[in-house]
Amino acid sequence: MLEVQDLRVAFHGRREVVRAVDGVSFALDAGETVALVGESGCGKSATALALLRLLPAPTGRIESGRVALDGEDLVTAADARLRALRGSAISMVFQEPMTSLNPVLPIGDQVAEAIALHQGLDDDAAFAAAVAMLARVGIPSPAARAEAYPHQLSGGMRQRVMIAMALACRPRVLVADEPTTALDVTVQAQILALLADLQRELGMAVLLITHDLGVVAQIARRVLVMYAGRVVEEGGVEDVFARPRHPYTAGLLRSVPRSDRPGAPLAPIEGAVPDPRERPPGCAFHPRCALAEPRCRLEVPALAPPAVDGVASGAQRAACFVTEARPELDLLGAHS
Amino acid sequence: MTPTRDDGVLGALRRDRVARAGLGAIAALVAVALAAPLLALDQPIVLATPDGISFPFFPALVNRLLFENAIDLLFNLALLAAPLYAVAWRLARRRGLRPAHVALALAAFHGAVFAACLPARVAGRPNPLHVEAPIPDARAEIAVREARGERVLAVFPLRPFSYRATDPARSVRPPDRTHWLGTDKEGRDVFARMVYGTRISLAVGVVAVSLYVAIGVVLGALAGWFGGRVDLVISRAIEVMICLPTFFLILALVALVQERSIFHVMAIIGVTSWTGVARLVRAEFLRQRDLDYVQAAVALGVSTRRILFVHMLPNALGPVLVSATFGVASAILVESSLAFLGLGDVSVASWGETLNAGRLEGKAWLVLVPGFAIFFVVSAFNLVGEGLRDALDPKLRS
């Protein structure tokens, strides 16, 4: 469905160049939810924006790589073709429902716009379709609410409208950039349930970008862990959470309370995410890694090939010399 | 799709007494401009003689010898068609059509009729809509008939004077029962000139400001959205224009035009005054460019033109609207100043021209009346502008 190969994104400032995404590859199958997790500044949002070529011009640029949607490369697609695909084949839900809706347009018009644009309906038909979509995302009395302006809705309602906008044309791929971060916990659960529902109904692939491991556990099947612009670990959610193969993943897991390991002490990862302008040589995580070996300072570990042949999408793999050499190591137990 | 500010702005404007007074004054000025022929025209509305009853007033409204200026024609057509438009509006509303669509359709129809009346010849033949019938001197004719002992009944507009008819015998008369505001040097009725001057002032204000708002919005939007080299070129152009003192630039340009018409004045004000709007819109677009809802629109595949003018422009319109309201006041002032300096269109009834005549003759009524009219209309627009600015400021609105 969606195949990302060796994606590299850089932000060109006046003096320096920030390499936000440094060779990311992954694939999304129809109907599956993949979570992309990592700390702030690890490049996960830049990856998401790059998929739809939404990087802020002129500073943000895709340096190289391929984003193939059913074999069609979005990186090199003509602008008109890209516009036709955005919103109809690949859509995005943003983090801030409070600011992602245009304050001066009624929400029905905003949802109808995408429908009129991609499905060639006239204004009235598109508006009717928009009302139906608003009903589908659980907005009460949708016909009346369609005339409302964004400021008249709560945050959760607005995020539902955003989802209605993004999914109105039944895209094959949805990129959701922290869709629940700005919402109350109770509303978060509703929105996640709604997303999961719609995904089943439309059979689309969802790339969920988040830093919330609880959300990952709740709705994703596979997880990609990003650190300093690279994917450091990939695998099925249960495998990765139970037995991380990268020290960074382990650090992330140890820094959140877990109901399945009651009493385990919380251990924040020491240090800070490296400045993307001056990434350390070798494995970018080595300055913060208790297991770092001399080799980690010199060479960049590659994401290991899938351990189990044939089941590439479900297999767990990590970019770490240490666990590659000592597969028996239990990273979650090592420091407790 | 009608972009509207939230209802709070209109509400706040309505609650502001000063702004409401300004709005009332502007409404009154529009009414006077529209009804000018009912207030002053030398053609009787009804003329009953032994030969029969006639209504010379109505054909006179579209007679290009009497109303040479296109602005007068536009307003006269609006006056003639006003009952028709009112009925059409009612019917359309009853059928549930959107007010904006109905207004647009009526305006388009009006514009089409107006444009059809303008040319004297179409494809080499006389234009049947372009009326240039010779106009009888109604008052002289009535006097002749009454002298013959015929029974004549004539109903004139409020004052039976045209703003253009000169009369050397009545030069510079002070106000009296015939000429309520006196006459000027050419013996033209000052009341009529004041009434028709309303049309000129409003037309200059609206047309000149619309022109420069259009220029400013497009340039500002392009500069703010594209940034980079486009912004560099437009911003430098703005800076160069700002360096030139606008009024003297207008003076110089107006002086260059031969056979000046009021439209030259509008165009020159329009093309010299767009910098303020361009800077406002550029700043607003720069701010909005990276906002989430613009990103979201891009992510939905909306075209750049639609994002600029449907999504971003309505959000930038508040400050532009305020600036345009003040702009109308200053455009009216500039036109009056040009007419005062003798650089206006001599064929139209400009308040500035009467003011200048008063200065030359040293007569109080010729100075005070147009002076007050200019003060009144400029103040009205400024009051509304300030009310609008306060209403759009969320800090003041709470």
Side-chain angles (χ1 to χ4, degrees):
Chain A
M1 172 79 34
L2 185 77
E3 213 180 328
V4 178
Q5 282 168 7
D6 197 29
L7 185 68
R8 287 170 199 274
V9 173
F11 291 93
H12 294 254
R14 237 169 241 276
R15 292 207 192 81
E16 72 266 318
V17 176
V18 177
R19 307 206 173 281
V21 179
D22 207 3
V24 163
S25 302
F26 62 89
L28 241 64
D29 286 336
E32 80 167 340
T33 301
V34 174
L36 184 60
V37 300
E39 287 167 278
S40 307
C42 72
K44 56 191 197 299
S45 281
T47 305
L49 292 174
L51 295 186
L52 281 89
R53 256 167 61 190
L54 289 173
L55 293 163
T59 49
R61 275 181 229 158
I62 298 177
E63 303 282 282
S64 66
R66 213 172 114 82
V67 176
L69 179 64
D70 286 333
E72 186 175 1
D73 189 4
L74 300 183
V75 175
T76 54
D79 285 353
R81 178 67 187 146
L82 189 68
R83 267 204 303 277
L85 291 173
R86 282 173 180 163
S88 70
I90 179 164
S91 272
M92 187 152 176
V93 173
F94 293 86
Q95 180 172 357
E96 278 294 336
M98 307 312 271
T99 55
S100 296
L101 288 166
N102 194 327
V104 302
L105 298 179
I107 58 166
D109 286 354
Q110 299 193 48
V111 179
E113 177 168 39
I115 300 173
L117 203 67
H118 294 298
Q119 303 189 345
L121 298 179
D122 65 41
D123 284 357
D124 290 338
F127 197 81
V131 171
M133 195 64 207
L134 289 175
R136 179 62 196 87
V137 296
I139 296 208
S141 51
R145 285 299 171 88
E147 310 272 347
Y149 290 90
H151 74 270
Q152 295 166 316
L153 304 179
S154 68
M157 282 297 149
R158 285 190 223 187
Q159 196 60 297
R160 285 173 194 269
V161 175
M162 289 303 301
I163 291 171
M165 275 168 75
L167 300 187
C169 297
R170 304 178 157 259
R172 284 167 274 164
V173 177
L174 176 71
V175 180
D177 188 0
E178 311 224 10
T180 58
T181 306
L183 303 174
D184 287 347
V185 183
T186 48
V187 181
Q188 272 188 18
Q190 293 170 8
I191 295 288
L192 290 175
L194 173 67
L195 271 178
D197 254 20
L198 286 165
Q199 174 185 35
R200 263 194 302 279
E201 189 181 316
L202 304 177
M204 62 188 175
V206 174
L207 180 67
L208 178 77
I209 291 160
T210 181
H211 60 254
D212 187 335
L213 297 177
V215 168
V216 177
Q218 204 175 335
I219 98 167
R221 192 165 69 87
R222 266 195 314 137
V223 61
L224 300 160
V225 182
M226 262 187 98
Y227 186 77
R230 293 203 179 94
V231 175
V232 294
E233 181 153 11
E234 176 187 349
V237 170
E238 282 167 24
D239 297 342
V240 172
F241 280 19
R243 198 161 177 275
R245 300 319 295 150
H246 194 283
Y248 174 65
T249 315
L252 276 185
L253 290 168
R254 271 201 310 273
S255 58
V256 288
R258 295 179 60 167
S259 56
D260 57 336
R261 287 168 190 252
L266 289 185
I269 308 176
E270 299 295 327
V273 181
D275 185 338
R277 283 164 298 192
E278 288 176 56
R279 293 248 169 81
C283 173
F285 188 62
H286 83 255
R288 305 168 78 185
C289 182
L291 302 172
E293 295 172 355
R295 189 185 173 192
C296 300
R297 285 172 240 277
L298 302 170
E299 291 172 55
V300 180
L303 206 56
V308 187
D309 294 329
V311 219
S313 67
Q316 183 178 0
R317 56 212 187 112
C320 180
F321 294 126
V322 179
T323 55
E324 196 182 4
R326 297 159 60 193
E328 77 291 349
L329 205 61
D330 179 5
L331 293 175
L332 285 182
H335 300 277
S336 51
Chain B
M1 193 181 304
T2 40
T4 32
R5 306 280 319 181
D6 66 294
D7 307 288
V9 173
L10 283 179
L13 198 62
R14 241 177 255 141
R15 264 174 271 130
D16 183 345
R17 275 192 203 168
V18 180
R20 214 167 45 192
L23 276 176
I26 292 173
L29 285 165
V30 172
V32 167
L34 210 56
L38 292 172
L39 297 174
L41 191 64
D42 56 2
Q43 298 298 312
I45 299 171
V46 183
L47 180 63
T49 64
D51 299 346
I53 297 178
S54 62
F55 305 91
F57 177 82
F58 296 98
L61 286 184
V62 290
N63 192 312
R64 303 308 307 280
L65 291 179
L66 198 59
F67 292 107
E68 181 189 19
N69 199 280
I71 296 171
D72 278 325
L73 184 64
L74 188 71
F75 276 102
N76 285 350
L77 284 175
L79 179 65
L80 276 177
L84 188 79
Y85 290 166
V87 171
W89 176 268
R90 283 239 161 160
L91 288 179
R93 293 292 289 139
R94 200 175 296 164
R95 303 185 95 207
L97 298 179
R98 290 195 184 185
H101 292 173
V102 180
L104 211 64
L106 288 180
F109 175 71
H110 192 102
V113 173
F114 172 65
C117 292
L118 277 184
R121 305 181 75 77
V122 177
R125 296 189 180 175
N127 180 2
L129 292 172
H130 186 93
V131 182
E132 278 188 349
I135 306 149
D137 184 340
R139 272 172 299 159
E141 194 193 325
I142 292 165
V144 168
R145 282 176 181 273
E146 280 178 339
R148 273 188 273 165
E150 291 178 17
R151 283 171 58 99
V152 179
L153 177 74
V155 179
F156 274 95
L158 186 62
R159 301 313 298 147
F161 302 109
S162 133
Y163 72 91
R164 298 178 63 195
T166 56
D167 187 350
R170 293 162 181 250
S171 181
V172 201
R173 293 253 181 112
D176 58 25
R177 288 183 62 184
T178 319
H179 298 283
W180 288 356
L181 297 175
T183 61
D184 65 6
K185 190 164 180 256
E186 287 78 25
R188 297 175 297 194
D189 182 63
V190 173
F191 176 79
R193 292 190 74 73
M194 289 301 106
V195 166
Y196 284 90
T198 313
R199 293 178 160 188
I200 301 305
S201 290
L202 289 179
V204 167
V206 170
V207 174
V209 170
S210 304
L211 186 61
Y212 79 65
V213 164
I215 298 174
V217 161
V218 170
L219 289 180
L222 293 179
W225 174 259
F226 288 106
R229 240 172 258 168
V230 180
D231 183 29
L232 195 80
V233 170
I234 293 175
S235 292
R236 292 304 86 76
I238 291 173
E239 280 156 24
V240 168
M241 286 296 290
I242 285 178
C243 288
L244 301 170
T246 310
F247 186 69
F248 293 100
L249 182 64
I250 291 173
L251 268 187
L253 288 175
V254 165
L256 282 178
V257 180
Q258 293 180 338
E259 293 180 34
R260 266 185 305 277
S261 86
I262 193 71
F263 300 105
H264 291 122
V265 175
M266 292 172 176
I268 287 169
I269 296 175
V271 297
T272 50
S273 314
W274 50 269
T275 51
V277 172
R279 288 197 328 158
L280 276 176
V281 173
R282 173 180 173 272
E284 275 295 313
F285 273 57
L286 270 179
R287 181 181 70 79
Q288 280 186 55
R289 189 172 62 175
D290 297 326
L291 289 187
D292 292 343
Y293 62 83
V294 175
Q295 285 258 307
V298 176
L300 280 177
V302 180
S303 68
T304 305
R305 202 176 52 189
R306 239 183 112 73
I307 290 173
L308 285 180
F309 296 110
V310 177
H311 287 261
M312 294 171 82
L313 188 58
N315 284 290
L317 228 43
V320 171
L321 206 62
V322 173
S323 143
T325 314
F326 288 122
V328 170
S330 75
I332 290 173
L333 210 52
V334 168
E335 189 276 329
S336 297
S337 309
L338 290 175
F340 180 78
L341 294 173
L343 289 168
D345 177 351
V346 289
S347 73
V348 301
S350 173
W351 292 339
E353 195 201 334
T354 310
L355 192 67
N356 187 35
R359 182 186 63 90
L360 290 173
E361 298 296 323
K363 301 296 185 208
W365 72 89
L366 287 181
V367 174
L368 288 179
V369 170
F372 177 76
I374 295 169
F375 166 77
F376 184 73
V377 63
V378 169
S379 302
F381 277 102
N382 280 335
L383 291 181
V384 172
E386 281 187 26
L388 210 52
R389 191 176 54 194
D390 292 349
L392 283 166
D393 188 339
K395 278 179 223 129
L396 287 173
R397 218 194 313 164
S398 62

